[in-house]
Amino acid sequence: MENLKVIAFTHKHVELKDLGNLVICNDELNHRLINLKNSLDIPEIFYIGTCNRVEFVFYGAHELTDEFVAAFMHGMNFCVPSERLQCYLGQVNKYSGLEALNHLLRMSCSIESLVVGEKEILAQVRRAYERCRDAGFTGDFMRLMMDRLVKTAKEVYTHTNISRNPISVVSLAYRKLREVKLVDDPRILVIGAGETNQNLAKYLKKHKYKNFVIFNRTVEKAHALAEELQAVAYPLTELENYKGGFDVMITCTGSSEPIVNAELYTSLLAGETDKKVVVDLAIPNDIDAEVIAQNPIHYIEVSSLQAIAQKNIKERYDELHHAEKIIHQNIEEFLPMIKQRRVEVAMRQVPDKIKEIRAMAMNEVFARELNGLDPQAREVLEKVINYMEKKYIKVPMVMAKEILVQSSAVEQN
């Protein structure tokens, strides 16, 4: 367990707008992680990037010294000036061993989220893990740990009220949007067709909004959302040519740079001068700061939802105690399981070694004597050897597991 490490940048210590500089797009992720694994000798790793956190979870015999974290960050090749990167190093959270496991369990149960009780974080962590697993960046330890994260989160959501009347960043954004007096049947321009925009658009459809236009980098994904919303869809490259105007703009892409600059925004206005509503849930923001400064806008972004999120934490505070008890129980269950798995992996060679000894004995050491036996005697001897081979394979496995169980019981007492 001591080799489990987490390097985390979260909304608790980093401004949300600054977190955007650490987000890695999917196209670059594999290349960066391969370089990092090779340069720092990290056996297993996966990356989590959400609207309020960027975290690196890895398994390796490294101490999280300031020097190592600095080397780690430089190895990730973030496109920020060195002095700014140094500032991030002063905002990092470092976790090792049991502390790392506890942090990951709390995160997956949404206790560490901007909005306590939202269930989206578990799905986000799972997708992040699966993406890195499929690319070959994770192994046996991360698989077992991920199973435990999912199990624990499901128990917390089932056996506590932490997710009662669930709230998420999307639902908070919708609440803020409802506070704005909108025109009848507003024209809603959706930029990005990822999960966040999908969820917000579905909220709006549920409440009888129906006039959507969707732009997305992958046009097939845009068409899938458009079909559900009975809308029209275009590739993102056509955004600059759109002249249909809008009343509400909803944007959330994975771009590391603003999607909508002052020139594009003016084009999208199509000559209209009334105050528009812009919901920007991207990290980093999709709307250039110049757009907000120069135009009359009701602007809703992730950081503006933090005050509501803090109120949500207070309302759910009583449930945190019950959730933490479930987390503690799962940690206690997980530790002996990891020890047992370590023994199982170490003893994988036992069957092969015993088979080698048998082959050596029968084909070389006692070959002449065996050749002198009559067929019936040889058959009986082989039955005896087969029986003993199975026992010699099974007995050490069982004994090792019993020793682990006994040592775990002693540690707990």
Side-chain angles (χ1 to χ4, degrees):
M1 270 305 304
E2 65 274 8
N3 286 342
L4 176 62
K5 306 293 193 309
V6 178
I7 295 174
F9 301 88
T10 75
H11 63 96
K12 294 185 177 180
H13 298 98
V14 184
E15 291 287 336
L16 290 175
K17 64 181 188 301
D18 291 333
L19 269 177
N21 293 324
L22 302 179
V23 172
I24 305 171
C25 69
N26 290 340
D27 293 341
E28 296 181 3
L29 182 60
N30 286 8
H31 175 68
R32 293 206 201 179
L33 290 184
I34 287 171
N35 288 342
L36 193 73
K37 276 173 63 73
N38 293 340
S39 61
L40 294 181
D41 189 25
I42 295 175
E44 299 185 48
I45 187 169
F46 76 98
Y47 156 85
I48 304 166
T50 75
C51 64
N52 53 53
R53 68 182 60 252
V54 168
E55 303 202 13
F56 300 91
V57 184
F58 64 97
Y59 187 80
H62 303 278
E63 285 200 30
L64 296 184
T65 61
D66 292 345
E67 292 75 19
F68 175 82
V69 175
F72 187 101
M73 296 296 289
H74 283 293
M76 286 306 299
N77 195 27
F78 290 110
C79 298
V80 296
S82 56
E83 62 273 12
R84 188 72 193 94
L85 190 59
Q86 199 62 39
C87 185
Y88 280 115
L89 294 175
Q91 299 167 321
V92 67
N93 290 308
K94 301 177 288 186
Y95 305 95
S96 298
L98 285 178
E99 190 181 27
L101 179 60
N102 183 58
H103 164 73
L104 292 169
L105 290 170
R106 288 172 60 86
M107 177 183 65
S108 299
C109 297
S110 82
I111 295 176
E112 300 285 346
S113 292
L114 180 66
V115 181
V116 175
E118 55 94 2
K119 295 183 179 180
E120 291 175 15
I121 182 63
L122 178 60
Q124 291 169 331
V125 172
R126 288 181 75 168
R127 281 195 300 272
Y129 163 75
E130 288 166 0
R131 185 163 51 243
C132 290
R133 177 201 64 194
D134 294 344
F137 295 126
T138 67
D140 197 53
F141 179 86
M142 290 294 184
R143 176 184 63 80
L144 293 173
M145 186 194 73
M146 195 64 222
D147 289 345
R148 183 59 49 167
L149 296 189
V150 173
K151 173 182 178 294
T152 305
K154 287 182 175 178
E155 289 177 2
V156 167
Y157 293 137
T158 300
H159 301 299
T160 76
N161 289 324
I162 199 169
S163 60
R164 183 181 59 190
N165 300 322
I167 297 175
S168 65
V169 169
V170 170
S171 62
L172 291 179
Y174 175 72
R175 288 184 185 187
K176 294 288 287 184
L177 183 57
R178 293 281 288 179
E179 293 173 6
V180 180
K181 187 175 181 180
L182 298 176
V183 300
D184 293 335
D185 194 22
R187 298 161 298 168
I188 302 174
L189 176 61
V190 180
I191 304 174
E195 184 179 11
T196 298
N197 274 1
Q198 288 177 33
N199 290 338
L200 185 51
K202 289 172 186 176
Y203 264 104
L204 292 168
K205 181 188 176 187
K206 181 180 177 181
H207 289 85
K208 311 304 181 186
Y209 294 93
K210 57 183 183 299
N211 193 353
F212 296 92
V213 177
I214 301 162
F215 289 84
N216 192 59
R217 184 169 282 107
T218 307
V219 72
E220 291 80 10
K221 201 169 184 179
H223 282 305
L225 179 58
E227 185 175 346
E228 186 170 356
L229 299 175
Q230 297 180 326
V232 292
Y234 302 99
L236 190 59
T237 51
E238 288 298 309
L239 187 60
E240 61 186 22
N241 300 319
Y242 181 67
K243 302 302 180 185
F246 69 94
D247 300 298
V248 178
M249 178 188 294
I250 298 171
T251 181
C252 184
T253 72
S255 174
S256 58
E257 300 290 337
I259 290 286
V260 181
N261 57 26
E263 181 181 356
L264 177 57
Y265 187 80
T266 300
S267 173
L268 292 172
L269 287 173
E272 299 173 5
T273 58
D274 58 314
K275 194 171 188 177
K276 304 298 183 181
V277 180
V278 175
V279 183
D280 184 356
L281 299 183
I283 297 291
N285 290 341
D286 281 337
I287 307 298
D288 193 286
E290 190 178 357
V291 173
I292 303 162
Q294 294 179 355
N295 295 275
I297 295 175
H298 288 289
Y299 188 54
I300 301 169
E301 59 174 335
V302 174
S303 59
S304 69
L305 305 175
Q306 283 180 301
I308 307 173
Q310 289 302 317
K311 182 174 181 288
N312 172 61
I313 291 175
K314 292 177 182 177
E315 291 174 351
R316 295 166 192 266
Y317 183 80
D318 291 340
E319 292 303 312
L320 297 183
H321 175 68
H322 302 301
E324 285 169 350
K325 284 180 66 176
I326 293 172
I327 290 171
H328 179 71
Q329 179 182 343
N330 272 276
I331 290 175
E332 289 191 334
E333 293 173 2
F334 185 65
L335 295 180
M337 188 184 79
I338 284 295
K339 289 181 180 179
Q340 179 176 318
R341 181 60 180 164
R342 196 163 61 225
V343 170
E344 289 173 354
V345 171
M347 298 192 72
R348 279 176 178 168
Q349 297 180 4
V350 170
D352 291 336
K353 290 295 182 184
I354 291 175
K355 290 180 186 299
E356 286 178 15
I357 293 170
R358 169 187 169 145
M360 173 72 76
M362 297 190 70
N363 299 328
E364 297 184 28
V365 180
F366 299 106
R368 193 189 324 172
E369 290 86 341
L370 289 173
N371 289 333
L373 295 175
D374 62 71
Q376 187 175 5
R378 185 178 178 105
E379 182 181 354
V380 172
L381 179 60
E382 287 189 353
K383 285 182 179 179
V384 171
I385 291 174
N386 286 339
Y387 173 82
M388 294 188 69
E389 179 184 327
K390 291 177 182 177
K391 290 298 181 182
Y392 271 111
I393 290 172
K394 182 179 179 181
V395 168
M397 301 277 196
V398 172
M399 289 180 66
K401 289 181 181 179
E402 288 177 349
I403 291 169
L404 275 176
V405 170
Q406 291 171 4
S407 65
S408 297
V410 170
E411 287 175 6
Q412 291 175 2
N413 292 332

